[in-house]
Amino acid sequence: MKRSFLLAVVAALALNAYTAHAAELSPANQAKLIGNVEAYAARMAEVALKIWSLPELGYQETKTTALLQDELKAAGFRVETGIAGIPTAFLARAGTNDGAVIAILAEMDSLPGLSQAATPERKPIADQISGHGCGHHLFGSAAVAAAIAVKNWLEETGTRAQVRVYGTPAEEGGGGKVYMVRAGLFKDVDATVYFHPGDSNSAAQEKNLATTSAKFCFRGQSAYAAAAPERGRSALDGVEAMNFMVNYMREHIPQESRIHYVITNGGLAPNVVPDFAESYYQIRHPDPRVVAEIFERVKKAAEGAALGTGTTVDHELINGTYSTLPNDVLGRVLDANLRRVGAPKWTTEEMAFAERLAKTLPGRNLPPLASAGEIARYQFNTQRYSSTDSGDVSWVTPLASLRTATWVPGTAAHSWQATAAGGMSIGIKGAEVAAKTLALTVAQLATSPETIAAAKAEFDKSRGPGFVYKALVGDRPPPLDYRNASAVGGGE
Ligand SMILES: [Zn+2]
């Protein structure tokens, strides 16, 4: 008994040691990958700052996507563009077809109203309406840098695997990834990773909210509101009756839900019974299936409102994204590699820039500037109340992400302070840390079938049995004009 137990323990320990060993890259391979990123780092900085200086809005990223694609083509990637009905989307592949397929996401769009010079005081750039206030110029360039480093390493070592870059446009409300997932472009991917700029260094894997949004258009009969009201049927009554019913419904939906609405058209004059009125709804919940269920009930409220007011109603789906399904196995690999690479180190000039910029940050209890030089504790599964189109990717392939300090601690995303730090060396240093971490992680996953198997097992368990992906946007085409002045954007 004793002897066999001892043998079992020894065998388990040996297996453990083997698994841990097999999952890690050798120090020589790690050094090669880091060296490959360093060899490309100056070019990465050039590309990132060029994209920063020509900030393009969602689905209009023509110059940005061309810059990223040119880098990948020059490095020997096979690049497909115009995929999923999106002119600025692309898929770049390198490596072989007989091994693991590891993908990196590359966002690229900017934000309206966040034009800003790379200065620690507010200074919009003249004649520029948008800016990289979410750091997607670093997001895209770091993804490309990591992919090129891995591609060269695959060739140097004769490793059989494929590295991909997905150029995913219009994250800021256009949902580019949703349409790319719906088109089946991630079907044969084993694992996906990405980096998002931030004000700290962390590989925490968080949950957020699935969301769907739709416009409800009511149509009635116009009439002189004073002299002939009996001839009119008010479309605005339809909108208000619907809101009334939905507001009662709030008591009878799952706790974590959120429902928001605005009236985008309520008629034009009080003396005319409105024959057209429109409301714009958005629903959120951690589980996309619950979002879909609540949306069905909201549609019933709209139908009931139309019936009761003698109007008609139809709806248009605007946007819809899944919640993020966090993956602990991949998250821990990213965390270990982030610690291996280490946090960015600022020079005295960079620290002086940060000190001046920090004075402009609103709010109290800001994190200390020194936290940009540290790596935050690993966390898993904390609930956040935002939404992003990366969520859809996480329900079709195991996905994990990291943040690095590309901004001064205390900086909020979508602020001029984010645009400012992202346009100078602080942003670039953070992106380089991210590129190295991604390169190590992709290479490690490409050579570690047991890690992929564990990530997939966790992924299957999180999704639940019998899951079939169904886009929350239904079959609507990508809203390529959502950033045009006349179009109503579907923000996250
Ligand atoms: Zn972003």
Side-chain angles (χ1 to χ4, degrees):
M1 269 290 269
K2 257 187 182 168
R3 194 184 142 82
S4 63
F5 177 71
L6 198 69
L7 277 174
V9 170
V10 170
L13 283 174
L15 184 70
N16 236 338
Y18 169 76
T19 315
H21 175 76
E24 301 263 312
L25 290 167
S26 71
N29 278 325
Q30 289 171 14
K32 255 185 204 159
L33 285 152
I34 299 274
N36 286 358
V37 175
E38 281 170 355
Y40 180 77
R43 181 65 192 150
M44 182 200 75
E46 231 175 281
V47 172
L49 293 177
K50 190 152 191 199
I51 296 173
W52 182 88
S53 69
L54 51 87
E56 294 173 303
L57 294 171
Y59 292 133
Q60 301 170 11
E61 312 97 331
T62 48
K63 293 186 187 113
T64 305
T65 196
L67 273 164
L68 297 175
Q69 289 179 42
D70 285 349
E71 290 303 297
L72 290 161
K73 278 182 206 157
F77 279 75
R78 310 179 290 280
V79 183
E80 266 178 273
T81 187
I83 47 180
I86 305 170
T88 51
F90 70 86
L91 170 47
R93 294 177 172 90
T96 63
N97 294 323
D98 55 354
V101 177
I102 314 296
I104 309 174
L105 303 180
E107 291 179 5
M108 57 185 97
D109 59 327
S110 68
L111 284 157
L114 288 175
S115 162
Q116 166 67 32
T119 55
E121 285 88 28
R122 179 75 172 125
K123 192 178 163 203
I125 297 172
D127 305 323
Q128 195 168 284
I129 54 134
S130 57
H132 273 290
C134 207
H136 295 179
H137 63 300
L138 301 169
F139 193 137
S141 323
V144 166
I148 291 173
V150 171
K151 189 231 174 217
N152 292 338
W153 174 82
L154 289 175
E155 283 166 6
E156 286 155 21
T157 55
T159 305
R160 306 200 68 80
Q162 190 174 113
V163 56
R164 291 186 185 175
V165 180
Y166 284 77
T168 60
E171 188 278 331
E172 304 287 3
K177 295 185 200 72
V178 174
Y179 301 95
M180 296 173 78
V181 170
R182 191 180 69 180
L185 296 173
F186 288 87
K187 255 185 192 143
D188 56 343
V189 173
D190 290 303
T192 304
V193 288
Y194 72 92
F195 139 71
H196 197 291
D199 73 334
S200 64
N201 307 291
S202 166
Q205 304 303 313
E206 293 154 335
K207 299 187 283 190
N208 57 15
L209 299 178
T211 183
T212 197
S213 63
K215 287 193 275 180
F216 288 87
C217 302
F218 286 83
R219 288 181 174 81
Q221 283 291 330
S222 59
Y224 186 177
E230 74 283 2
R231 286 195 225 153
R233 296 291 180 268
S234 169
L236 179 60
D237 287 358
V239 163
E240 292 196 272
M242 176 187 173
N243 292 345
F244 182 77
M245 280 189 270
V246 172
N247 288 336
Y248 268 128
M249 206 177 90
R250 292 177 193 273
E251 192 187 347
H252 310 289
I253 55 176
Q255 188 78 320
E256 294 283 302
S257 316
R258 279 161 162 67
I259 304 178
H260 332 290
Y261 65 75
V262 289
I263 297 175
T264 40
N265 189 330
L268 297 168
N271 62 347
V272 178
V273 173
D275 64 352
F276 182 80
E278 183 190 81
S279 59
Y280 186 4
Y281 266 80
Q282 186 160 14
I283 299 155
R284 301 181 201 256
H285 186 274
D287 190 328
R289 290 160 287 203
V290 175
V291 169
E293 282 162 24
I294 294 173
F295 184 56
E296 286 307 310
R297 291 170 66 189
V298 167
K299 284 198 302 200
K300 288 281 175 227
E303 286 166 22
L307 195 65
T309 56
T311 58
T312 60
V313 66
D314 54 52
H315 72 274
E316 184 197 355
L317 273 169
I318 298 294
N319 197 13
T321 57
Y322 273 53
S323 47
T324 301
L325 214 54
N327 193 290
D328 198 28
V329 170
L330 296 184
R332 285 177 191 278
V333 175
L334 272 174
D335 185 66
N337 285 323
L338 176 59
R339 284 172 206 285
R340 205 161 265 141
V341 173
K345 289 183 185 70
W346 289 351
T347 59
T348 40
E349 292 80 46
E350 285 157 352
M351 192 49 97
F353 179 99
E355 277 164 8
R356 278 173 65 190
L357 187 140
K359 290 198 180 86
T360 71
L361 294 173
R364 272 183 268 172
N365 302 324
L366 295 173
L369 294 185
S371 65
E374 294 156 10
I375 291 162
R377 190 170 60 87
Y378 178 74
Q379 280 179 294
F380 179 69
N381 224 17
T382 35
Q383 180 73 54
R384 304 251 276 188
Y385 293 90
S386 55
S387 307
T388 165
D389 65 359
S390 303
D392 287 58
V393 180
S394 75
W395 286 74
V396 297
T397 155
L399 177 80
S401 65
L402 86 148
R403 284 173 192 280
T404 64
T406 59
W407 306 328
V408 175
T411 300
H414 299 200
S415 65
W416 69 259
Q417 289 93 342
T419 311
M424 46 83 72
S425 57
I426 288 180
I428 298 299
K429 277 191 177 170
E432 195 177 325
V433 167
K436 287 176 180 171
T437 308
L438 287 176
L440 290 176
T441 302
V442 171
Q444 186 175 336
L445 295 174
T447 51
S448 176
E450 57 274 38
T451 308
I452 294 289
K456 281 187 173 168
E458 182 190 352
F459 166 73
D460 286 339
K461 203 172 157 225
S462 309
R463 288 201 309 181
F467 173 81
V468 179
Y469 173 81
K470 209 170 155 238
L472 290 171
V473 293
D475 57 3
R476 68 150 299 146
L480 298 178
D481 67 344
Y482 86 110
R483 283 296 191 202
N484 295 347
S486 59
V488 179
E492 310 287 0

